[in-house]
Amino acid sequence: MKILVTGGAGFVGSHVSEYYAKKGDEVIALDNLSRASLLGTDIKSIDYNWNYLKENYDNITLVKEDIRNVNALEEYARDVDAIIHTAAQTAVTSSVVDPRADFEVNALGTFNVIEAARKSKSNPCVVYCSTNKVYGDNANNIKVIETDTRYAFDDGRYRNGLSETFQTDLCEHTPYGASKFTGDVYVQDYSERGEIDAAVFRMSCIYGTRQLGVEDQGWVAWFTIATVLGKPIKIYGDGKQVRDVLYVTDLV
Ligand SMILES: NC(=O)c1ccc[n+]([C@@H]2O[C@H](COP(=O)([O-])OP(=O)(O)OC[C@H]3O[C@@H](n4cnc5c(N)ncnc54)[C@H](O)[C@@H]3O)[C@@H](O)[C@H]2O)c1
């Protein structure tokens, strides 16, 4: 197969690229290498995954390109079997500071991806990395109980988490949640109307190797990095918040 991975130098995207490359497929890892500047960190971190893929896999073609460039996207999607769309502006904090950039990458960029898939002669299927943020603060309306170390949902219906039918609107979102949800709904619509074959993953917290986490995004990695480097870890709230975590290769 031939696979186009948007955000291919990112954490999830580099693992997706590696997975298909190991199977012997041909991979195009497309990334504009913006993670460092989006999150205000040093440039070396994003180079790391890019160089890792370059040094280890002959069957991965690295393309420095932007999903906002419609023409380029259509060209790279021309003859692929699948597009795994992981590229995004990923931090809630950055989305509040610059909502336009967030919208242009997450909402319009996702629209560009599905349009490229729709126009492609090879009819690629699309997998979209969405987020649990699409549920906004509706989750905060579920009653919780406080134990010594953590909060837990009081209502037994949610003990194993929220279902994908959980309400997504009539609540407060963030610009990041809204832009990712826009992409989510568009992918669903194109799929429902039979324009493309697609799937949406509403991921919670993904963790694993080569996650170059910072305080604003990728907290499992950030806790690890801060601990190893002796940097302080700031606790927001009372530290009893609970998140689901999933190992990146299990997600892939
Ligand atoms: N990691 C998580 O815990 C998590 C949780 C929920 C959802 N997600 C979603 O999963 C996807 C992957 O997340 P990640 O943790 O790998 O993030 P990441 O920041 O490591 O990877 C995203 C990649 O996209 C690239 N990118 C950003 N804007 C681009 C653009 N305009 N054109 C091309 N490339 C661009 C970045 O340079 C980066 O390499 C994202 O869509 C994110 O919203 C991640």
Side-chain angles (χ1 to χ4, degrees), residues 94-113:
S94 310
S95 78
V96 174
V97 175
D98 190 350
R100 177 175 293 279
D102 177 79
F103 180 86
E104 286 176 357
V105 174
N106 293 353
L108 196 53
T110 299
F111 177 76
N112 291 342
V113 168

Side-chain angles (χ1 to χ4, degrees), residues 2 8 20-21 28 31 43 46 71 92-93 95 104 109 120 155 166 180 195 204 211 213 233 240:
K2 188 169 177 184
Y20 284 108
I28 302 170
D31 202 299
I43 193 76
I46 188 71
N71 293 338
V92 172
T93 41
S95 78
E104 286 176 357
S120 168
D155 186 333
F166 194 72
K180 292 291 291 186
E195 300 281 10
S204 183
Q211 181 176 31
I233 295 172
K240 290 186 178 182

